[in-house]
Amino acid sequence: MTDTALIVIDVQSDFCPGGALAVAGGDQIVPGVNARMAEAAAIVLTQDWHPAGHSSFASQHPGRAPMEVTRMPYGPQVLWPDHCVQGSPGAAFHPDLQIDRAELIIRKGFRPAIDSYSAFFENDHQTPTGLEGYLRTRGLMRLHMVGLATDFCVKFSAVDAAKLGFEVTVELELCRGIDLDGSMAAALDEMRAAGVALV
Ligand code: VGL
Ligand code: ZN
């Protein structure tokens, strides 16, 4: 349908096996995502894109380990291993992802002091990425989301989109999650509660 966009979230080497923040089976979705893109009317890719020394990296917090939670001025923040550093091989899309038909690549997480999981807002839930305006002005009000990680960037993107009034479907077989302390089950509940269709 001409009002439907496929949003492909963070299918990058660092989120795939062998990468810095590998999501189990992350690479398994690539053939299916390619097939999905081949039939999509409009395609947007997102790319996690951090400067070196980003504040979400545990390496910037002495005495703290990856996967611990800290408090930032904007709320709780998981501390991650260094990942998706701008221009690094790990920040590149998975080498088998067919990106040529994508019309927009939205990069996020580039402000040193704030993380950005959602494709729409940074983690303060206020600073916009610009994606809402792009989709609205193109009349793309139905969104299908696929990608990594189900319980972080996919969930935050889907919930924000639903709150903004988009009709949102998450295609779970083309997503994989991190599952930190039950975050997978919680993410599915949150998406359902926000009115996101899970298929
Ligand atoms: C992501 C953790 C840190 C994601 C990005 O794409 O889900 N997760 N940065
Ligand atoms: Zn990140």
Side-chain angles (χ1 to χ4, degrees), residues 9-10 12 15 46-51 54 84 86 105-111 114-122 129 148 152-154 157:
I9 310 271
D10 297 2
Q12 294 167 259
F15 296 124
T46 71
Q47 195 171 22
D48 208 40
W49 197 249
H50 300 303
H54 191 258
C84 296
Q86 295 172 358
I105 297 173
I106 191 126
R107 287 173 166 170
K108 60 186 179 60
F110 52 77
R111 288 185 176 82
I114 185 166
D115 206 2
S116 185
Y117 296 146
S118 165
F120 293 89
F121 295 101
E122 310 216 0
T129 63
L148 310 171
F152 286 90
C153 290
V154 175
S157 299

Side-chain angles (χ1 to χ4, degrees), residues 79-105:
L79 295 173
W80 303 107
D82 289 26
H83 67 279
C84 296
V85 173
Q86 295 172 358
S88 69
F93 292 110
H94 185 285
D96 297 333
L97 190 71
Q98 282 159 29
I99 64 173
D100 290 352
R101 284 194 58 245
E103 293 143 3
L104 177 74
I105 297 173

Side-chain angles (χ1 to χ4, degrees), residues 7-26:
I7 314 285
V8 180
I9 310 271
D10 297 2
V11 183
Q12 294 167 259
S13 292
D14 267 346
F15 296 124
C16 292
L21 180 37
V23 179

Side-chain angles (χ1 to χ4, degrees), residues 34-199:
N34 285 339
R36 201 57 192 74
M37 283 196 279
E39 66 186 24
I43 303 166
V44 173
L45 308 179
T46 71
Q47 195 171 22
D48 208 40
W49 197 249
H50 300 303
H54 191 258
S55 59
S56 74
F57 297 168
S59 62
Q60 303 306 303
H61 301 258
R64 305 302 301 273
M67 305 307 183
E68 289 180 10
V69 179
T70 191
R71 287 208 65 83
M72 297 289 216
Y74 53 83
Q77 169 72 49
V78 179
L79 295 173
W80 303 107
D82 289 26
H83 67 279
C84 296
V85 173
Q86 295 172 358
S88 69
F93 292 110
H94 185 285
D96 297 333
L97 190 71
Q98 282 159 29
I99 64 173
D100 290 352
R101 284 194 58 245
E103 293 143 3
L104 177 74
I105 297 173
I106 191 126
R107 287 173 166 170
K108 60 186 179 60
F110 52 77
R111 288 185 176 82
I114 185 166
D115 206 2
S116 185
Y117 296 146
S118 165
F120 293 89
F121 295 101
E122 310 216 0
N123 283 10
D124 62 0
H125 304 293
Q126 284 180 349
T127 308
T129 63
L131 182 58
E132 178 190 2
Y134 176 87
L135 294 169
R136 276 193 201 284
T137 51
R138 286 196 60 194
L140 297 165
M141 294 305 293
R142 289 176 212 264
L143 309 180
H144 284 246
M145 296 191 182
V146 300
L148 310 171
T150 317
D151 42 349
F152 286 90
C153 290
V154 175
K155 178 200 76 175
F156 279 87
S157 299
V159 169
D160 279 348
K163 284 185 188 159
L164 290 169
F166 293 88
E167 186 186 302
V168 189
T169 302
V170 170
E171 301 184 10
L172 289 174
E173 68 277 18
L174 294 179
C175 298
R176 292 292 185 278
I178 296 173
D179 203 13
L180 205 60
D181 295 326
S183 59
M184 193 69 173
L188 298 178
D189 285 347
E190 271 182 69
M191 289 193 280
R192 276 193 207 97
V196 173
L198 303 177
V199 299

